[in-house]
């Protein structure tokens, strides 16, 4: 009888550890997908730059900060691999894109430009997909962290050193 209980406990323990491992792998895959989506969105910046060049006064001043951030993002890609490390730059780029869109929306001729509207709608679609994936990422990481806390309340933490993941 005691052997059955031991077998059941070991099975539950094994399933829990496998589940934690698979959940962590899912988080890593989702992180990579989000980073790729950020890159795709950020790669649209030169298109916006070119499509607004003939319309905006002080064009270089408006785009100065976002071009600096784009270069920073490019250099960070060589050193940082996780979403948490890149989040600060991505947020700054997002804010600068919002600023540029506000400036462009106040200019009537740009709003009639087909190329600008196409790029703008592409960026908005990518942002929407990105937002959905970020919300999914946060939810999964929160659940993962709860499971890690449960693991730490039991004796399992002595056997397997799995750490929590920071959220964005």
């Amino acid at each position: 009888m005691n052997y059955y209980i031991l077998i059941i406990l070991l099975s539950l323990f094994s399933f829990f550890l496998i589940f934690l491992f698979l959940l962590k792998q899912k988080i890593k895959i989702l992180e990579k997908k989000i980073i790729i989506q950020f890159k795709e969105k950020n790669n649209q910046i030169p298109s916006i730059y070119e499509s607004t060049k003939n319309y905006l006064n002080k064009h270089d001043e408006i785009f100065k900060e976002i071009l600096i951030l784009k270069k920073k993002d490019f250099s960070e890609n060589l050193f940082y691999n996780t979403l948490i490390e890149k989040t600060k730059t991505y947020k700054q780029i997002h804010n600068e894109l919002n600023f540029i869109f506000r400036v462009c929306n106040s200019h009537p001729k740009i709003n009639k430009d087909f190329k600008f509207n196409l790029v703008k709608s592409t960026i908005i679609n990518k942002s929407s997909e990105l937002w959905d994936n970020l919300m999914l990422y946060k939810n999964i990481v929160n659940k993962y962290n709860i499971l890690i806390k449960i693991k730490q309340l039991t004796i399992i933490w002595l056997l397997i050193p799995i750490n929590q993941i920071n959220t964005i």
Side-chain angles (χ1 to χ4, degrees), residues 67-122:
L67 294 176
I68 291 170
L69 290 170
K70 178 96 171 98
K71 289 176 187 176
K72 181 179 176 184
D73 177 42
F74 182 73
S75 64
E76 284 179 354
N77 288 336
L78 301 174
F79 301 108
Y80 302 133
N81 296 323
T82 65
L83 183 60
I84 301 299
E85 295 168 331
K86 295 180 174 195
T87 302
K88 183 179 177 187
T89 304
Y90 286 154
K91 284 180 182 178
Q92 290 173 336
I93 290 173
H94 178 76
N95 291 336
E96 282 299 313
L97 269 173
N98 284 339
F99 166 73
I100 290 170
F101 284 149
R102 280 194 308 271
V103 169
C104 292
N105 285 336
S106 66
H107 199 285
K109 289 183 180 179
I110 294 176
N111 288 324
K112 294 178 183 177
D113 188 322
F114 176 75
K115 285 192 278 184
F116 172 76
N117 287 326
L118 181 64
V119 174
K120 180 181 172 183
S121 66
T122 303

Side-chain angles (χ1 to χ4, degrees), residues 23 57 63 72 88 102 122 141-142 156 163-165:
L23 194 59
N57 295 332
F63 281 87
K72 181 179 176 184
K88 183 179 177 187
R102 280 194 308 271
T122 303
V141 168
N142 287 336
I156 300 172
N163 298 329
Q164 287 188 341
I165 297 176

Side-chain angles (χ1 to χ4, degrees), residues 146-158:
I146 289 170
L147 291 173
I148 294 299
K149 287 179 183 177
I150 290 170
K151 177 192 71 96
Q152 291 175 344
L153 292 175
T154 63
I155 195 146
I156 300 172
W157 71 273
L158 292 172

Side-chain angles (χ1 to χ4, degrees), residues 126-141:
K126 289 184 187 300
S127 293
S128 176
E129 292 173 17
L130 189 58
W131 178 255
D132 292 341
N133 283 334
L134 282 171
M135 294 308 294
L136 177 64
Y137 173 81
K138 286 181 182 181
N139 288 335
I140 292 173
V141 168

Side-chain angles (χ1 to χ4, degrees), residues 27-87:
I27 290 170
K28 287 181 182 180
I29 290 169
L30 193 56
E31 267 189 8
K32 289 178 184 177
K33 182 178 180 182
I34 290 171
I35 288 172
I36 289 171
Q37 287 179 321
F38 268 118
K39 286 180 183 179
E40 289 173 352
K41 179 183 169 187
N42 293 344
N43 287 339
Q44 298 292 317
I45 293 171
S47 299
I48 293 176
Y49 182 85
E50 287 300 318
S51 65
T52 59
K53 192 182 231 182
N54 297 328
Y55 297 112
L56 294 175
N57 295 332
K58 300 183 182 179
H59 185 264
D60 292 335
E61 288 179 33
I62 293 170
F63 281 87
K64 180 181 179 182
E65 187 66 28
I66 200 161
L67 294 176
I68 291 170
L69 290 170
K70 178 96 171 98
K71 289 176 187 176
K72 181 179 176 184
D73 177 42
F74 182 73
S75 64
E76 284 179 354
N77 288 336
L78 301 174
F79 301 108
Y80 302 133
N81 296 323
T82 65
L83 183 60
I84 301 299
E85 295 168 331
K86 295 180 174 195
T87 302

Side-chain angles (χ1 to χ4, degrees), residues 9 14 69 160 167:
L9 287 176
S14 299
L69 290 170
I160 308 289
T167 59

